[in-house]
Amino acid sequence: MKEPVFWFLLIGAVLFGADQYFTIESESVVVDDGVRARLNSLWQAQMGNPATPEQLESLVENWIREEVMFREALRLNLDRDDTIIRRRLVQKLRFLAEDVAVNPPGPADLKAFYEKHISQYSEPRRYSFSQVFFSNLASAEQKTPMVLAGDDWKSVGETSMLNHQYIAKSEREIGNIFGSRFATYANNFELDKWAGPFKSSFGYHYIRLERVDEPVALPLASIEMKVLADFQEEQKRVMLDKYFESLLERTRLVYR
Amino acid sequence: MKLHHVVGCLLVFGLLQACEPEAGSEGPDKSTSEVMATNEMSPNTVSDAMSEKIAPAGNPDKNAYFGDLHVHTMYSFDAFIFGTTASPDEAYEFAKGAPLRHPGGFDMQLKVPLDFYGVSDHGFYLGALKAMADPESKLSKLEVAKGMSELGDADSRKAQFGKILNFITSDQRDDLLDPRVFKDAWDDIIAAANRHNDPGKFTTFIAYEFTSSLAQFENLHRNVIFKGDSAPELPFTRLDSLNPEDLWQWMDEERELGFESLAIPHNSNGSNGEMLKLATFNNNPLSRQYAETRMRNEPLIEISQVKGTSDTHPALSPNDEWANFEIMPYRIASKLPSKPEGSYVREALKNGLELQEKKGFNPFKFGVVGSSDTHNATWSGDEDNYWSKVGLTDDDPVERGSVPMAEPDGKGNAYADTYYQTWSAAGLAGVWAERNTRDDIYSALRNKETFGTSGTRIKVRFFAGHELPRSDDPELIARAYESGVPMGSDLIAESGKTPAFLIWASRDANSAGLQRAQIIKASISNGKTTEKVFDVACSDGGIVDARSHRCPDNGATVNLETCAYSQDLGAAELKTLWKDPEYNPTERAMYYVRVLENPTCRWSTWDAIRAGVTPRQDLPATLQERAWTSPIWVEPAA
């Protein structure tokens, strides 16, 4: 099996040859059975049944009109320096390159891919902690010893709508509750010890970390479709990069 | 011609205008946090997450949960034709935090997952346009379906949509009424809701939109939300009747059969006075039976959503300095002006007091929620994470009028000639419930223990009572429930006593701080209703002025080049026990809370800054995000 790029280039060459062959000369617009068949099959794809002779005639008339004007537009070089056409052509080329058939990965390939990107397929680290809240820094610092004494800690701080205890929150979830800056302090929480004060969107908090759950990988079986989609996405990207490199090799770049 | 126009208008209406679930909205804990803790998913049992769906023990003090009960997917005719291919399943995955690709080619994702979500597609022609594009469906064989399988850019989609509207108004329209298509879509909507309902973590509702309107775009839309995990055979739609009273009758009948539901009207702002008028649909006088039927079926109203806020209008509340907030001045799906009278919530609440006083019934005794009305399947209520709501027609800042066109159009407009610029990055439904379950959240909706926001996640408590505890009581909420009533309830006046109101608001951790909390009061005296806005709690040490009832300016600002806002101004929480200085125990009155954030950039300003252009001068550059609670009604002592 040769590189897919080889097949792509081969198919491209065949199409290019066919195009040359069917283009008889610039002034003649040939309406033959091939044109009629193509128009008819487009119609059928949309409408579910073949065009009637009258409908086909009207389709052909439209096609002639489009074709003649299209050629004139080309003759006037209206396609040059047109950003939309330029992007559209590049896009078509990209789609063609991406569409080159790729063998679906075997179980081993998929597993290897999954393991290589395991951090993407894991539950995040989760923190369980208690918190005591103060609306300003001065009162937070004043109460430190009482907090650290730890007996009746719930009554030491100020009341708020926040909970005294949070269970198994990811950094992102901590950010949703306390503000995104506060979430970055999670690494500074101390196990079974009061630490702080840490500043949040609400004020200042002492935090006692009670448990950390390290990231847990999701079993491959439970997310196989997602891994497959990611695998194919990456394959496409790799293919496109290779294709671009092969084009670049044929190109002389001149910097001035 | 006339009929054609009428039906066409009827149809265009709603068109255009038309989480990892975060258990983090848990309320004040005290003893309850440990109870909840044992029921939270342990990270070591991820693979067990799907195995059992067991509701956790509840928090008797209740938690705030945030959600959206107004979401359109590919089954809505207008959503589909403008590019939305997202299914109800994908809508629910999005609400739980997963990214979803917009038809315009970018990823949409929530910054913070939602606690509950209800897909509410247009009931009529449910799934029909999608079927027209499906070669396997017989609807695709109709002449009018030509082109449906290869819809192109926004303009060609609009043209195709026009063609379909013409068809629907012709005598061939019955060709599109394929009950099989409706049923398949409805069954999928029901199944998706049940698949994603996960007691204790994420709640879904079976729902749909009853999309009625009058000949001149007067909007009468409401969403029907079902309590249970099953629903009637097919929705009752505008094809059955345009009259909401017929919808209520159907809901009553279905309730008898075991299908409990409630309806939530929306976009009263675009009803040109029809949604909340002082007459029945057919302009007969209101009656006690009308009021009871309406309240039995419509305990809530949507106060804020993408097509504007319906709290009040500057013309109706000239003494409310914050009334001019996200006003969408048009009737739905048109550029016809919508008259304010009969179109806004506060005025209706006042009219309700008057009816109660004079006639002994009140058809407008509703609570409030916000929601989005997204037609992309995706809530888009963050000002800095906004993709508007109608697929390929408004996903680009130029299309939605926040960034000028490359060059002015033929009429000399610098900005796209549209109404999307009047739309909002809004809103959210807030509920107070013991658990995040269907039963508990539905009960909160029924009991009006709800609040709405303009998209921010302000949490707000509101109680009234004659014996409420001090606001620093360690068991404040438990005792407030014992000795008072929460938002959405009645309090009966007691002679010789003045009721107290507990107002307690907590900020959104990732938005601006709170600027002030306010009470909106309406009362009736000598047959005349009045309204008044009282500031009741100020941020940054401010004291409410006793004469003007206003907080001092806290000086918070926004940098219009970066959208950075004052970080050290504004309150994390506002809490107060308030008594009405103008209380009169013989007067019927109604009170609700409005909480205002410090100013932040509006979505249109974010769009402009990102595009490197000056924000549009005729739009507000900033806004004050806010929350509104359901009212508490104080009934005079007998």
Side-chain angles (χ1 to χ4, degrees):
Chain A
M1 167 74 190
K2 297 216 180 226
E3 286 290 307
V5 172
F6 168 81
W7 293 106
F8 174 69
L9 292 175
L10 182 67
I11 293 164
V14 169
L15 286 175
F16 181 75
D19 192 47
Q20 294 291 303
Y21 177 78
F22 287 113
T23 307
I24 298 179
E25 54 183 278
S26 59
E27 268 74 36
S28 45
V29 171
V30 178
V31 181
D32 57 11
D33 285 350
V35 170
R36 289 190 197 91
R38 201 164 66 240
L39 290 172
N40 197 23
S41 75
L42 270 175
W43 171 270
Q44 185 152 7
Q46 277 174 44
M47 306 306 298
N49 40 27
T52 63
E54 296 79 41
Q55 285 166 338
L56 189 57
E57 196 179 324
S58 146
L59 290 173
V60 168
E61 269 171 35
N62 284 340
W63 178 81
I64 293 172
R65 194 181 165 85
E66 193 178 84
E67 184 68 18
V68 169
M69 292 185 70
F70 172 65
R71 290 188 191 190
E72 181 62 9
L74 285 184
R75 198 185 66 76
L76 296 172
N77 291 331
L78 297 185
D79 55 328
R80 302 266 172 87
D81 301 324
D82 183 314
T83 315
I84 292 174
I85 291 173
R86 192 182 154 92
R87 282 193 195 145
R88 177 72 184 144
L89 290 175
V90 171
Q91 188 188 41
K92 281 181 85 166
L93 187 67
R94 211 181 63 223
F95 286 163
L96 278 172
E98 285 176 359
D99 275 356
V100 173
V102 178
N103 289 331
D109 296 335
L110 207 59
K111 187 150 189 299
F113 182 84
Y114 162 81
E115 277 163 4
K116 188 172 159 202
H117 299 90
I118 196 72
S119 65
Q120 246 173 275
Y121 302 119
S122 297
E123 271 284 301
R125 177 175 286 111
R126 290 181 179 276
Y127 302 85
S128 299
F129 58 93
S130 295
Q131 69 92 21
V132 173
F133 169 69
F134 295 92
S135 54
N136 64 71
L137 185 58
S139 46
E141 285 177 337
Q142 193 190 351
K143 296 280 179 60
T144 312
M146 291 176 67
V147 171
L148 297 180
D151 278 351
D152 192 17
W153 59 271
K154 278 189 186 175
S155 60
V156 174
E158 298 169 29
T159 59
S160 77
M161 279 201 206
L162 297 166
N163 292 352
H164 277 134
Q165 196 175 30
Y166 289 91
I167 305 295
K169 298 296 179 197
S170 67
E171 258 187 53
R172 184 177 162 187
E173 289 167 340
I174 292 171
N176 294 344
I177 299 164
F178 292 91
S180 48
R181 186 172 53 169
F182 184 84
T184 62
Y185 304 143
N187 283 329
N188 301 334
F189 297 169
E190 291 180 44
L191 200 61
D192 297 325
K193 261 192 221 156
W194 288 102
F198 298 106
K199 190 172 182 343
S200 78
S201 296
F202 296 89
Y204 297 84
H205 308 260
Y206 288 100
I207 301 289
R208 185 178 63 198
L209 188 61
E210 273 129 24
R211 180 170 146 173
V212 179
D213 294 293
E214 291 304 324
V216 177
L218 299 163
L220 177 57
S222 71
I223 49 166
E224 203 168 332
M225 293 312 288
K226 179 172 166 41
V227 178
L228 180 63
D230 292 348
F231 182 94
Q232 287 171 332
E233 194 65 30
E234 185 175 271
Q235 252 183 332
K236 272 187 189 173
R237 208 181 50 241
V238 169
M239 181 97 57
L240 201 59
D241 287 350
K242 272 193 195 161
Y243 179 51
F244 171 69
E245 276 159 27
S246 73
L247 292 178
L248 203 58
E249 275 170 24
R250 304 192 327 224
T251 309
R252 195 167 62 93
L253 281 180
V254 181
Y255 296 96
R256 287 209 170 96
Chain B
M1 174 61 206
K2 192 165 177 214
L3 176 70
H4 169 104
H5 176 69
V6 168
V7 187
C9 296
L10 294 178
L11 285 163
V12 190
F13 57 89
L15 139 73
L16 307 185
Q17 311 273 29
C19 323
E20 324 135 72
E22 173 47 44
S25 324
E26 297 137 15
D29 60 346
K30 297 294 160 219
S31 58
T32 56
S33 65
E34 287 86 350
V35 177
M36 298 174 51
T38 58
N39 288 285
E40 286 199 65
M41 184 172 73
S42 151
N44 293 328
T45 57
V46 169
S47 53
D48 298 337
M50 299 301 290
S51 63
E52 269 187 281
K53 294 185 172 181
I54 299 171
N59 171 8
D61 285 356
K62 299 188 178 172
N63 303 317
Y65 297 109
F66 289 102
D68 186 353
L69 296 171
H70 195 166
V71 175
H72 294 272
T73 71
M74 65 182 185
Y75 288 128
S76 287
F77 70 106
D78 47 357
F80 182 81
I81 204 154
F82 293 114
T84 294
T85 55
S87 65
D89 274 309
E90 288 171 310
Y92 287 123
E93 290 295 346
F94 169 86
K96 288 187 268 188
L100 183 61
R101 184 60 57 94
H102 187 283
F106 55 91
D107 275 345
M108 306 177 280
Q109 189 167 20
L110 287 170
K111 290 190 185 170
V112 183
L114 292 166
D115 300 314
F116 62 95
Y117 216 51
V119 166
S120 58
D121 281 305
H122 294 295
F124 73 117
Y125 294 114
L126 191 69
L129 270 68
K130 181 175 172 292
M132 288 164 77
D134 173 7
E136 299 290 311
S137 164
K138 75 174 203 246
L139 292 189
S140 71
K141 309 294 188 289
L142 297 173
E143 171 64 23
V144 68
K146 184 184 171 189
M148 282 298 290
S149 56
E150 47 170 34
L151 294 162
D153 61 12
D155 285 339
S156 72
R157 286 167 185 270
K158 284 176 187 165
Q160 180 79 17
F161 193 58
K163 198 172 85 172
I164 289 169
L165 291 183
N166 285 339
F167 181 85
I168 292 176
T169 56
S170 75
D171 48 13
Q172 293 169 291
R173 56 178 272 185
D174 287 356
D175 294 353
L176 257 187
L177 298 179
D178 184 340
R180 194 64 245 164
V181 168
F182 301 164
K183 181 76 181 129
D184 285 349
W186 184 230
D187 286 348
D188 186 38
I189 288 166
I190 292 170
N194 289 334
R195 261 196 297 280
H196 293 272
N197 190 53
D198 193 356
K201 301 194 181 75
F202 181 70
T203 294
T204 64
F205 288 101
I206 300 168
Y208 78 95
E209 182 178 317
F210 172 77
T211 310
S212 169
S213 50
L214 301 182
Q216 294 298 317
F217 299 90
E218 300 92 339
N219 172 71
L220 294 173
H221 303 181
R222 39 263 283 168
N223 286 318
V224 181
I225 315 289
F226 291 95
K227 180 186 184 189
D229 59 6
S230 60
E233 188 71 7
L234 278 174
F236 183 91
T237 75
R238 67 172 291 134
L239 299 173
D240 299 302
S241 170
L242 293 178
N243 184 344
E245 293 152 40
D246 293 337
L247 170 71
W248 303 335
Q249 187 186 338
W250 177 79
M251 290 168 68
D252 280 343
E253 289 164 7
E254 294 294 336
R255 190 174 291 118
E256 288 295 309
L257 297 172
F259 299 114
E260 159 67 19
S261 67
L262 54 84
I264 307 176
H266 64 89
N267 284 121
S268 55
N269 59 344
S271 73
N272 198 37
E274 289 291 332
M275 184 74 85
L276 302 167
K277 69 181 174 183
L278 295 171
T280 69
F281 179 77
N282 290 317
N283 293 314
N284 292 316
L286 296 176
S287 66
R288 173 180 302 277
Q289 196 213 347
Y290 175 93
E292 286 173 359
T293 307
R294 186 163 183 158
M295 284 300 90
R296 184 167 60 247
N297 289 294
E298 299 193 343
L300 300 170
I301 191 166
E302 216 178 77
I303 197 168
S304 182
Q305 65 136 268
V306 65
K307 293 191 304 296
T309 283
S310 298
D311 175 19
T312 191
H313 187 283
L316 299 172
S317 301
N319 297 321
D320 179 349
E321 305 94 299
W322 295 270
N324 191 7
F325 176 74
E326 294 296 298
I327 297 294
M328 196 288 294
Y330 307 116
R331 296 179 217 171
I332 301 307
S334 82
K335 281 195 165 180
L336 296 169
S338 177
K339 73 168 177 172
E341 294 79 14
S343 300
Y344 285 83
V345 170
R346 190 184 303 173
E347 186 202 37
L349 290 167
K350 281 162 68 181
N351 285 335
L353 286 184
E354 194 169 331
L355 283 165
Q356 186 79 57
E357 184 87 358
K358 292 180 176 165
K359 304 261 175 78
F361 58 77
N362 182 355
F364 304 126
K365 204 171 180 180
F366 36 59
V368 299
V369 290
S371 274
S372 75
D373 200 0
T374 176
H375 279 53
N376 296 321
T378 53
W379 184 86
S380 175
D382 289 327
E383 305 294 332
D384 63 347
N385 189 29
Y386 180 68
W387 44 82
S388 198
K389 83 153 202 187
V390 202
L392 294 168
T393 65
D394 59 357
D395 59 324
D396 181 274
V398 172
E399 289 170 331
R400 56 182 180 248
S402 52
V403 167
M405 297 177 285
E407 47 195 74
D409 66 11
K411 290 183 257 170
N413 296 315
Y415 292 92
D417 185 13
T418 177
Y419 38 65
Y420 301 134
Q421 74 279 0
T422 66
W423 290 6
S424 296
L428 269 181
V431 300
W432 289 103
E434 292 195 12
R435 301 169 300 174
N436 183 355
T437 63
R438 242 187 216 167
D439 276 357
D440 286 10
I441 293 179
Y442 191 88
S443 294
L445 299 173
R446 253 282 157 224
N447 298 331
K448 303 179 249 194
E449 202 172 347
T450 58
F451 55 101
T453 85
S454 57
T456 183
R457 295 190 193 214
I458 295 172
K459 296 175 191 171
V460 53
R461 301 268 198 183
F462 184 36
F463 292 87
H466 294 96
E467 313 288 343
L468 287 180
R470 288 164 46 114
S471 65
D472 58 357
D473 189 299
E475 304 296 329
L476 179 61
I477 296 303
R479 294 195 49 201
Y481 273 115
E482 267 166 38
S483 61
V485 298
M487 56 181 72
S489 310
D490 289 352
L491 182 75
I492 311 296
E494 292 178 15
S495 57
K497 287 184 180 170
T498 301
F501 294 89
L502 170 65
I503 297 107
W504 185 7
S506 177
R507 69 178 286 177
D508 179 333
N510 291 302
S511 188
L514 303 178
Q515 187 196 67
R516 68 187 76 206
Q518 304 178 304
I519 286 275
I520 316 284
K521 176 192 179 184
S523 59
I524 180 160
S525 162
N526 299 324
K528 201 171 162 296
T529 53
T530 54
E531 69 175 72
K532 188 159 181 172
V533 178
F534 297 88
D535 287 0
V536 297
C538 314
S539 63
D540 305 296
I543 305 286
V544 181
D545 181 88
R547 277 226 323 239
S548 66
H549 303 292
R550 288 291 175 270
C551 292
D553 182 356
N554 72 350
T557 56
V558 182
N559 178 338
L560 291 183
E561 279 162 18
T562 61
C563 283
Y565 53 83
S566 305
Q567 287 296 321
D568 42 7
L569 290 174
E573 295 201 343
L574 293 169
K575 182 157 72 169
T576 190
L577 199 63
W578 180 78
K579 286 191 175 174
D580 176 2
E582 297 169 7
Y583 179 69
N584 178 340
T586 66
E587 285 177 8
R588 188 175 300 281
M590 178 236 44
Y591 300 82
Y592 68 91
V593 175
R594 185 171 64 189
V595 183
L596 301 175
E597 276 184 8
N598 280 338
T600 47
C601 275
R602 190 174 188 266
W603 65 264
S604 43
T605 306
W606 279 108
D607 275 359
I609 287 176
R610 285 168 182 158
V613 299
T614 311
R616 184 166 168 173
Q617 294 300 304
D618 60 346
L619 294 176
T622 63
L623 45 64
Q624 284 185 271
E625 301 278 4
R626 58 196 66 196
W628 305 263
T629 68
S630 291
I632 291 173
W633 290 265
V634 179
E635 302 280 329

